[in-house]
Amino acid sequence: DAGVIQSPRHEVTEMGQEVTLRCKPISGHNSLFWYRQTMMRGLELLIYFNNNVPIDDSGMPEDRFSAKMPNASFSTLKIQPSEPRDSAVYFCASGPSSGGRSGNRELFFGEGSRLTVL
Amino acid sequence: GNSVTQMEGPVTLSEEAFLTINCTYTATGYPSLFWYVQYPGEGLQLLLKATKADDKGSNKGFEATYRKETTSFHLEKGSVQVSDSAVYFCALSTGGSNYKLTFGKGTLLTVNP
């Protein structure tokens, strides 16, 4: 299995530009998560989906951020317009479906997309 | 709400030293507890987990015991190696049919030869 695949690995853009980050979860996993990692705040959960449906987006910073999961094998996180404070590493993670206690389920992370907004 | 507090880093040790990284939590209900590790330039990967009180998770020489009375899940290793240098995250999940992990801020460990 190829694991969770994220693209791009690195993105440098200018303030005001639109940024789209992409994620392909592990086949068969029904839960997908977007996290943001910064030195100041650590790992923050932005949004998570179960069976392609957004379950909790309370971590999305503001209206400039949006996420979609049009099918079980693809998700995007979009920032429009981007700002320098959005600079961070964005991780996508997937996990197996619900059923059984959560402790029996593990999250699998991609290698992250490092975003720099100048 | 749920929260995880782990010791601030960075932690620097010599090879073969004993490691402890403290982790305490606040949660509603009965959480499952996890330690994830992030090697340089990589995503997080599960190191070990415990799903109920007094359970001990272990992997690669690392251990952590779920202590409900002290709401703790401290990570230990008897003899660290240079290859253990990484960032370690404590996390919890309170489950349900839809679940999410709450992470601590991470502790950077550097092991010198």
Side-chain angles (χ1 to χ4, degrees):
Chain A
D1 197 323
V4 176
I5 299 173
Q6 292 187 244
S7 65
R9 289 295 310 277
H10 302 274
E11 173 103 6
V12 180
T13 190
E14 293 188 345
M15 184 173 65
Q17 296 298 304
E18 178 179 294
V19 173
T20 300
L21 307 178
R22 298 173 179 81
C23 175
K24 176 177 167 47
I26 292 173
S27 177
H29 283 184
N30 288 22
S31 296
L32 183 140
F33 303 75
W34 282 100
Y35 283 88
R36 177 171 68 177
Q37 184 179 38
T38 60
M39 290 292 292
M40 290 295 293
R41 292 196 167 122
L43 269 171
E44 301 173 278
L45 177 64
L46 301 178
I47 185 171
Y48 80 96
F49 297 83
N50 198 54
N51 293 322
N52 311 337
V53 176
I55 301 301
D56 183 352
D57 65 354
S58 59
M60 296 286 263
E62 47 198 270
D63 292 345
R64 297 184 297 106
F65 285 68
S66 62
K68 294 182 180 179
M69 192 166 185
N71 57 61
S73 58
F74 184 64
S75 177
T76 59
L77 177 68
K78 186 175 292 186
I79 309 172
Q80 166 64 19
S82 58
E83 296 183 2
R85 61 191 166 124
D86 303 329
S87 298
V89 181
Y90 291 82
F91 286 103
C92 176
S94 70
S97 173
S98 60
R101 292 197 65 225
S102 66
N104 296 323
R105 293 173 286 174
E106 174 184 349
L107 280 191
F108 295 79
F109 282 76
E111 294 185 324
S113 294
R114 181 175 294 276
L115 172 65
T116 302
V117 183
L118 303 175
Chain B
N2 297 337
S3 68
V4 174
T5 303
Q6 59 183 106
M7 65 187 287
E8 299 260 339
V11 175
T12 302
L13 297 173
S14 298
E15 206 164 23
E16 299 184 3
F18 183 85
L19 168 71
T20 300
I21 301 178
N22 290 339
C23 172
T24 57
Y25 66 89
T26 302
T28 54
Y30 300 96
S32 295
L33 302 174
F34 306 81
W35 277 101
Y36 277 77
V37 59
Q38 184 181 26
Y39 298 104
E42 298 183 10
L44 283 71
Q45 54 187 275
L46 180 66
L47 179 61
L48 54 84
K49 66 182 179 184
T51 58
K52 61 183 188 295
D54 300 324
D55 269 3
K56 178 186 283 188
S58 61
N59 186 25
K60 300 181 181 180
F62 291 88
E63 293 183 338
T65 301
Y66 188 143
R67 300 287 188 202
K68 188 179 176 185
E69 64 275 14
T70 54
T71 62
S72 65
F73 193 54
H74 305 320
L75 182 68
E76 297 182 336
K77 186 174 186 182
S79 176
V80 293
Q81 306 300 311
V82 172
S83 57
D84 294 326
S85 298
V87 181
Y88 292 82
F89 292 89
C90 187
L92 69 83
S93 172
T94 49
S97 59
N98 296 303
Y99 71 105
K100 59 183 181 181
L101 285 172
T102 301
F103 285 92
K105 290 200 169 183
T107 302
L108 172 63
L109 170 66
T110 301
V111 181
N112 295 319

